Amino acid sequence: AQSVSQHNHHVILSEAASLELGCNYSYGGTVNLFWYVQYPGQHLQLLLKYFSGDPLVKGIKGFEAEFIKSKFSFNLRKPSVQWSDTAEYFCAVNAPYTGFQKLVFGTGTRLLVSP
Amino acid sequence: DTEVTQTPKHLVMGMTNKKSLKCEQHMGHRAMYWYKQKAKKPPELMFVYSYEKLSINESVPSRFSPECPNSSLLNLHLHALQPEDSALYLCASSLGTGTYEQYFGPGTRLTVT
């Protein structure tokens, strides 16, 4: 079965610091990769996605992620975080499952940005 | 309109009650999903509907009963729940069950007393 690992469960940064959140997945075939964000009290929102093509994907709010197939990784980056980036971040993989594409989430990384 | 709406936002129910959660989308999506999210955990898939037919039931207890009356609506009927069923219930939709992103609603926070 597919699985997704997020190495950092909690990250604390100061404003303007750079961010990198790790994500590794276990499926060896063709996958679609996502980063979702859940701001406090809000619903899950799609930050960015990778389906094919350029492995460096740019998303909303200045986030980007790089797909490295050889490392089964899809790490999320932002050069300079803001206090408003405080949220929980979920990496997810969409992989074949009994005839459809199942979205499997990592355990999440809770980011706290201090002003 | 890229919104999935869910009602109610909060629900408190006793173990003998019967209640329903509702989800609606008007994006023309043909796949709809129910997820359960416990505190500080990722969402876990419960059910998948494709073209108003139940495609996937992830071994969910029968006290949870999904229904898809039409392509825009998804219900989750609840009966005889247990306290451990307390969680955030998320609805999502996507264009289809293939390689498409899912759009999530805000969820219903359910407390079973």
Side-chain angles (χ1 to χ4, degrees):
Chain A
Q2 303 85 16
S3 66
V4 180
S5 300
Q6 291 183 243
H7 319 297
N8 317 102
H9 297 295
H10 292 91
V11 173
I12 301 173
L13 294 172
S14 300
E15 273 194 316
S18 64
L19 169 73
E20 180 158 3
L21 301 182
C23 172
N24 287 90
Y25 61 93
S26 66
Y27 184 66
T30 301
V31 291
N32 309 121
L33 297 155
F34 306 86
W35 276 97
Y36 282 88
V37 61
Q38 196 168 29
Y39 296 104
Q42 295 191 29
H43 62 281
L44 273 167
Q45 300 173 40
L46 183 66
L47 264 183
L48 46 78
K49 62 188 180 190
Y50 173 80
F51 283 179
S52 64
D54 189 345
L56 186 60
V57 179
K58 294 197 183 301
I60 61 171
K61 306 188 181 190
F63 286 91
E64 65 178 33
E66 185 174 13
F67 170 54
I68 303 179
K69 189 175 181 180
S70 60
K71 295 185 178 180
F72 298 90
S73 70
F74 190 56
N75 292 354
L76 181 72
R77 298 195 292 250
K78 185 170 184 179
S80 175
V81 295
Q82 300 172 313
W83 175 80
S84 58
D85 292 325
T86 294
E88 183 132 28
Y89 293 80
F90 291 98
C91 181
V93 61
N94 213 10
Y97 176 76
T98 60
F100 90 109
Q101 298 282 322
K102 180 177 180 178
L103 193 61
V104 177
F105 288 89
T107 50
T109 297
R110 196 169 289 266
L111 173 65
L112 175 63
V113 180
S114 56
Chain B
D1 182 3
T2 57
E3 196 175 280
V4 176
T5 58
Q6 290 187 244
T7 55
K9 288 186 180 179
H10 300 275
L11 178 62
V12 180
M13 60 185 290
M15 290 190 282
T16 58
N17 292 159
K18 281 186 183 181
K19 297 285 185 184
S20 296
L21 310 184
K22 295 185 186 304
C23 172
E24 192 166 4
Q25 57 87 14
H26 293 287
M27 296 179 276
H29 289 175
R30 304 315 300 263
M32 295 186 77
Y33 311 78
W34 281 115
Y35 288 85
K36 176 181 178 180
Q37 187 178 21
K38 299 284 271 184
K40 300 183 181 180
K41 297 286 187 184
E44 294 178 358
L45 183 65
M46 298 174 72
F47 301 104
V48 179
Y49 272 84
S50 177
Y51 288 85
E52 299 149 55
K53 286 186 168 37
L54 183 64
S55 298
I56 299 287
N57 175 342
E58 289 282 82
S59 303
V60 179
S62 59
R63 57 186 183 269
F64 295 90
S65 175
E67 179 197 18
C68 190
N70 60 55
S71 60
S72 300
L73 290 173
L74 187 66
N75 297 324
L76 186 62
H77 303 297
L78 314 172
H79 174 55
L81 295 193
Q82 304 296 310
E84 60 264 28
D85 297 321
S86 298
L88 182 67
Y89 288 85
L90 298 169
C91 175
S93 71
S94 62
L95 205 55
T97 54
T99 56
Y100 303 104
E101 63 264 38
Q102 294 182 23
Y103 293 82
F104 284 82
T108 293
R109 188 159 299 280
L110 173 68
T111 302
V112 181
T113 60

mmCIF file of all heavy atoms in Angstrom, chain A residues 23-47:
data_model
loop_
_atom_site.group_PDB
_atom_site.id
_atom_site.type_symbol
_atom_site.label_atom_id
_atom_site.label_comp_id
_atom_site.label_asym_id
_atom_site.label_seq_id
_atom_site.Cartn_x
_atom_site.Cartn_y
_atom_site.Cartn_z
ATOM 1 N N CYS A 23 8.948 15.438 2.465
ATOM 2 C CA CYS A 23 7.878 14.496 2.166
ATOM 3 C C CYS A 23 8.452 13.385 1.306
ATOM 4 O O CYS A 23 9.068 13.651 0.267
ATOM 5 C CB CYS A 23 6.735 15.193 1.428
ATOM 6 S SG CYS A 23 5.458 14.061 0.812
ATOM 7 N N ASN A 24 8.243 12.150 1.738
ATOM 8 C CA ASN A 24 8.636 10.982 0.945
ATOM 9 C C ASN A 24 7.439 10.057 0.812
ATOM 10 O O ASN A 24 6.640 9.941 1.734
ATOM 11 C CB ASN A 24 9.795 10.238 1.615
ATOM 12 C CG ASN A 24 11.093 10.982 1.484
ATOM 13 O OD1 ASN A 24 11.445 11.790 2.330
ATOM 14 N ND2 ASN A 24 11.802 10.718 0.404
ATOM 15 N N TYR A 25 7.349 9.403 -0.333
ATOM 16 C CA TYR A 25 6.233 8.489 -0.560
ATOM 17 C C TYR A 25 6.797 7.127 -0.954
ATOM 18 O O TYR A 25 7.956 7.011 -1.356
ATOM 19 C CB TYR A 25 5.291 9.043 -1.636
ATOM 20 C CG TYR A 25 5.957 9.222 -2.975
ATOM 21 C CD1 TYR A 25 5.903 8.219 -3.941
ATOM 22 C CD2 TYR A 25 6.656 10.386 -3.252
ATOM 23 C CE1 TYR A 25 6.541 8.370 -5.153
ATOM 24 C CE2 TYR A 25 7.299 10.546 -4.469
ATOM 25 C CZ TYR A 25 7.240 9.543 -5.408
ATOM 26 O OH TYR A 25 7.885 9.701 -6.607
ATOM 27 N N SER A 26 5.946 6.115 -0.857
ATOM 28 C CA SER A 26 6.459 4.762 -1.047
ATOM 29 C C SER A 26 6.086 4.122 -2.380
ATOM 30 O O SER A 26 6.608 3.068 -2.720
ATOM 31 C CB SER A 26 5.955 3.853 0.080
ATOM 32 O OG SER A 26 4.546 3.715 -0.031
ATOM 33 N N TYR A 27 5.186 4.699 -3.138
ATOM 34 C CA TYR A 27 4.692 4.047 -4.343
ATOM 35 C C TYR A 27 5.677 4.182 -5.491
ATOM 36 O O TYR A 27 6.202 5.267 -5.733
ATOM 37 C CB TYR A 27 3.341 4.638 -4.736
ATOM 38 C CG TYR A 27 2.708 3.955 -5.926
ATOM 39 C CD1 TYR A 27 2.292 2.629 -5.842
ATOM 40 C CD2 TYR A 27 2.544 4.630 -7.125
ATOM 41 C CE1 TYR A 27 1.719 2.007 -6.922
ATOM 42 C CE2 TYR A 27 1.973 4.009 -8.213
ATOM 43 C CZ TYR A 27 1.559 2.689 -8.103
ATOM 44 O OH TYR A 27 1.001 2.066 -9.172
ATOM 45 N N GLY A 28 5.960 3.102 -6.217
ATOM 46 C CA GLY A 28 6.973 3.111 -7.263
ATOM 47 C C GLY A 28 6.471 3.448 -8.639
ATOM 48 O O GLY A 28 7.265 3.642 -9.554
ATOM 49 N N GLY A 29 5.174 3.504 -8.840
ATOM 50 C CA GLY A 29 4.625 3.786 -10.157
ATOM 51 C C GLY A 29 4.399 5.269 -10.365
ATOM 52 O O GLY A 29 4.963 6.109 -9.666
ATOM 53 N N THR A 30 3.554 5.583 -11.327
ATOM 54 C CA THR A 30 3.228 6.981 -11.616
ATOM 55 C C THR A 30 2.335 7.540 -10.510
ATOM 56 O O THR A 30 1.337 6.918 -10.156
ATOM 57 C CB THR A 30 2.485 7.099 -12.952
ATOM 58 O OG1 THR A 30 3.306 6.564 -13.987
ATOM 59 C CG2 THR A 30 2.170 8.551 -13.260
ATOM 60 N N VAL A 31 2.739 8.660 -9.971
ATOM 61 C CA VAL A 31 1.967 9.258 -8.890
ATOM 62 C C VAL A 31 1.673 10.721 -9.196
ATOM 63 O O VAL A 31 2.356 11.353 -9.989
ATOM 64 C CB VAL A 31 2.691 9.182 -7.531
ATOM 65 C CG1 VAL A 31 2.781 7.767 -7.028
ATOM 66 C CG2 VAL A 31 4.068 9.822 -7.620
ATOM 67 N N ASN A 32 0.639 11.198 -8.568
ATOM 68 C CA ASN A 32 0.363 12.625 -8.548
ATOM 69 C C ASN A 32 0.579 13.088 -7.121
ATOM 70 O O ASN A 32 0.166 12.401 -6.185
ATOM 71 C CB ASN A 32 -1.075 12.915 -8.977
ATOM 72 C CG ASN A 32 -1.425 12.234 -10.280
ATOM 73 O OD1 ASN A 32 -2.354 11.435 -10.340
ATOM 74 N ND2 ASN A 32 -0.675 12.510 -11.308
ATOM 75 N N LEU A 33 1.218 14.234 -6.949
ATOM 76 C CA LEU A 33 1.629 14.673 -5.620
ATOM 77 C C LEU A 33 1.028 16.032 -5.297
ATOM 78 O O LEU A 33 0.884 16.886 -6.175
ATOM 79 C CB LEU A 33 3.160 14.750 -5.556
ATOM 80 C CG LEU A 33 3.836 13.389 -5.754
ATOM 81 C CD1 LEU A 33 5.239 13.562 -6.287
ATOM 82 C CD2 LEU A 33 3.851 12.622 -4.449
ATOM 83 N N PHE A 34 0.695 16.216 -4.042
ATOM 84 C CA PHE A 34 0.020 17.432 -3.602
ATOM 85 C C PHE A 34 0.590 17.895 -2.260
ATOM 86 O O PHE A 34 1.062 17.086 -1.457
ATOM 87 C CB PHE A 34 -1.484 17.168 -3.391
ATOM 88 C CG PHE A 34 -2.179 16.559 -4.573
ATOM 89 C CD1 PHE A 34 -2.187 15.182 -4.762
ATOM 90 C CD2 PHE A 34 -2.848 17.353 -5.488
ATOM 91 C CE1 PHE A 34 -2.832 14.602 -5.847
ATOM 92 C CE2 PHE A 34 -3.503 16.788 -6.577
ATOM 93 C CZ PHE A 34 -3.484 15.423 -6.756
ATOM 94 N N TRP A 35 0.511 19.176 -2.046
ATOM 95 C CA TRP A 35 0.639 19.748 -0.720
ATOM 96 C C TRP A 35 -0.653 20.505 -0.420
ATOM 97 O O TRP A 35 -1.074 21.357 -1.204
ATOM 98 C CB TRP A 35 1.828 20.703 -0.613
ATOM 99 C CG TRP A 35 3.124 20.010 -0.347
ATOM 100 C CD1 TRP A 35 4.076 19.637 -1.250
ATOM 101 C CD2 TRP A 35 3.624 19.606 0.940
ATOM 102 N NE1 TRP A 35 5.126 19.025 -0.618
ATOM 103 C CE2 TRP A 35 4.890 18.992 0.723
ATOM 104 C CE3 TRP A 35 3.145 19.706 2.246
ATOM 105 C CZ2 TRP A 35 5.666 18.490 1.765
ATOM 106 C CZ3 TRP A 35 3.912 19.210 3.281
ATOM 107 C CH2 TRP A 35 5.167 18.606 3.035
ATOM 108 N N TYR A 36 -1.259 20.160 0.722
ATOM 109 C CA TYR A 36 -2.433 20.868 1.204
ATOM 110 C C TYR A 36 -2.055 21.609 2.481
ATOM 111 O O TYR A 36 -1.189 21.170 3.240
ATOM 112 C CB TYR A 36 -3.565 19.885 1.539
ATOM 113 C CG TYR A 36 -4.329 19.356 0.345
ATOM 114 C CD1 TYR A 36 -3.903 18.219 -0.338
ATOM 115 C CD2 TYR A 36 -5.499 19.983 -0.092
ATOM 116 C CE1 TYR A 36 -4.619 17.730 -1.421
ATOM 117 C CE2 TYR A 36 -6.221 19.491 -1.172
ATOM 118 C CZ TYR A 36 -5.770 18.375 -1.828
ATOM 119 O OH TYR A 36 -6.478 17.883 -2.905
ATOM 120 N N VAL A 37 -2.744 22.714 2.741
ATOM 121 C CA VAL A 37 -2.528 23.477 3.965
ATOM 122 C C VAL A 37 -3.855 23.628 4.700
ATOM 123 O O VAL A 37 -4.914 23.765 4.071
ATOM 124 C CB VAL A 37 -1.905 24.860 3.664
ATOM 125 C CG1 VAL A 37 -2.819 25.710 2.782
ATOM 126 C CG2 VAL A 37 -1.585 25.606 4.950
ATOM 127 N N GLN A 38 -3.785 23.554 6.000
ATOM 128 C CA GLN A 38 -4.979 23.731 6.840
ATOM 129 C C GLN A 38 -4.658 24.820 7.848
ATOM 130 O O GLN A 38 -3.947 24.579 8.839
ATOM 131 C CB GLN A 38 -5.333 22.411 7.527
ATOM 132 C CG GLN A 38 -6.723 22.364 8.108
ATOM 133 C CD GLN A 38 -7.121 20.942 8.517
ATOM 134 O OE1 GLN A 38 -6.285 20.111 8.876
ATOM 135 N NE2 GLN A 38 -8.415 20.645 8.470
ATOM 136 N N TYR A 39 -5.142 26.051 7.584
ATOM 137 C CA TYR A 39 -4.957 27.145 8.522
ATOM 138 C C TYR A 39 -5.867 26.937 9.723
ATOM 139 O O TYR A 39 -6.895 26.266 9.608
ATOM 140 C CB TYR A 39 -5.253 28.484 7.850
ATOM 141 C CG TYR A 39 -4.296 28.795 6.717
ATOM 142 C CD1 TYR A 39 -4.697 28.659 5.386
ATOM 143 C CD2 TYR A 39 -2.997 29.205 6.970
ATOM 144 C CE1 TYR A 39 -3.823 28.909 4.342
ATOM 145 C CE2 TYR A 39 -2.111 29.456 5.928
ATOM 146 C CZ TYR A 39 -2.532 29.302 4.627
ATOM 147 O OH TYR A 39 -1.661 29.544 3.601
ATOM 148 N N PRO A 40 -5.505 27.482 10.869
ATOM 149 C CA PRO A 40 -6.318 27.280 12.071
ATOM 150 C C PRO A 40 -7.786 27.622 11.832
ATOM 151 O O PRO A 40 -8.109 28.724 11.374
ATOM 152 C CB PRO A 40 -5.675 28.227 13.085
ATOM 153 C CG PRO A 40 -4.259 28.371 12.639
ATOM 154 C CD PRO A 40 -4.309 28.301 11.142
ATOM 155 N N GLY A 41 -8.644 26.654 12.084
ATOM 156 C CA GLY A 41 -10.081 26.875 11.938
ATOM 157 C C GLY A 41 -10.581 26.923 10.516
ATOM 158 O O GLY A 41 -11.746 27.233 10.270
ATOM 159 N N GLN A 42 -9.737 26.616 9.562
ATOM 160 C CA GLN A 42 -10.165 26.675 8.160
ATOM 161 C C GLN A 42 -10.062 25.297 7.505
ATOM 162 O O GLN A 42 -9.533 24.351 8.075
ATOM 163 C CB GLN A 42 -9.322 27.685 7.393
ATOM 164 C CG GLN A 42 -9.513 29.110 7.856
ATOM 165 C CD GLN A 42 -8.877 30.105 6.918
ATOM 166 O OE1 GLN A 42 -8.763 29.867 5.721
ATOM 167 N NE2 GLN A 42 -8.452 31.237 7.464
ATOM 168 N N HIS A 43 -10.608 25.213 6.281
ATOM 169 C CA HIS A 43 -10.616 23.925 5.608
ATOM 170 C C HIS A 43 -9.315 23.681 4.859
ATOM 171 O O HIS A 43 -8.508 24.594 4.657
ATOM 172 C CB HIS A 43 -11.809 23.835 4.654
ATOM 173 C CG HIS A 43 -11.777 24.849 3.553
ATOM 174 N ND1 HIS A 43 -12.148 26.158 3.729
ATOM 175 C CD2 HIS A 43 -11.430 24.736 2.250
ATOM 176 C CE1 HIS A 43 -12.029 26.803 2.598
ATOM 177 N NE2 HIS A 43 -11.587 25.972 1.676
ATOM 178 N N LEU A 44 -9.103 22.445 4.486
ATOM 179 C CA LEU A 44 -7.938 22.062 3.702
ATOM 180 C C LEU A 44 -7.948 22.785 2.357
ATOM 181 O O LEU A 44 -8.941 22.771 1.637
ATOM 182 C CB LEU A 44 -7.965 20.560 3.423
ATOM 183 C CG LEU A 44 -7.358 19.635 4.462
ATOM 184 C CD1 LEU A 44 -7.753 18.203 4.170
ATOM 185 C CD2 LEU A 44 -5.859 19.774 4.501
ATOM 186 N N GLN A 45 -6.808 23.407 2.037
ATOM 187 C CA GLN A 45 -6.696 24.104 0.757
ATOM 188 C C GLN A 45 -5.501 23.545 0.002
ATOM 189 O O GLN A 45 -4.473 23.236 0.594
ATOM 190 C CB GLN A 45 -6.474 25.605 0.985
ATOM 191 C CG GLN A 45 -7.577 26.301 1.738
ATOM 192 C CD GLN A 45 -7.225 27.733 2.064
ATOM 193 O OE1 GLN A 45 -6.632 28.436 1.238
ATOM 194 N NE2 GLN A 45 -7.561 28.175 3.251
ATOM 195 N N LEU A 46 -5.638 23.479 -1.305
ATOM 196 C CA LEU A 46 -4.552 22.994 -2.132
ATOM 197 C C LEU A 46 -3.502 24.085 -2.306
ATOM 198 O O LEU A 46 -3.810 25.184 -2.739
ATOM 199 C CB LEU A 46 -5.101 22.573 -3.495
ATOM 200 C CG LEU A 46 -4.090 21.970 -4.465
ATOM 201 C CD1 LEU A 46 -3.580 20.633 -3.937
ATOM 202 C CD2 LEU A 46 -4.734 21.766 -5.839
ATOM 203 N N LEU A 47 -2.262 23.774 -1.939
ATOM 204 C CA LEU A 47 -1.148 24.710 -2.117
ATOM 205 C C LEU A 47 -0.540 24.561 -3.504
ATOM 206 O O LEU A 47 -0.261 25.545 -4.187
ATOM 207 C CB LEU A 47 -0.041 24.423 -1.101
ATOM 208 C CG LEU A 47 0.025 25.211 0.188
ATOM 209 C CD1 LEU A 47 1.249 24.771 0.969
ATOM 210 C CD2 LEU A 47 0.039 26.708 -0.050
#
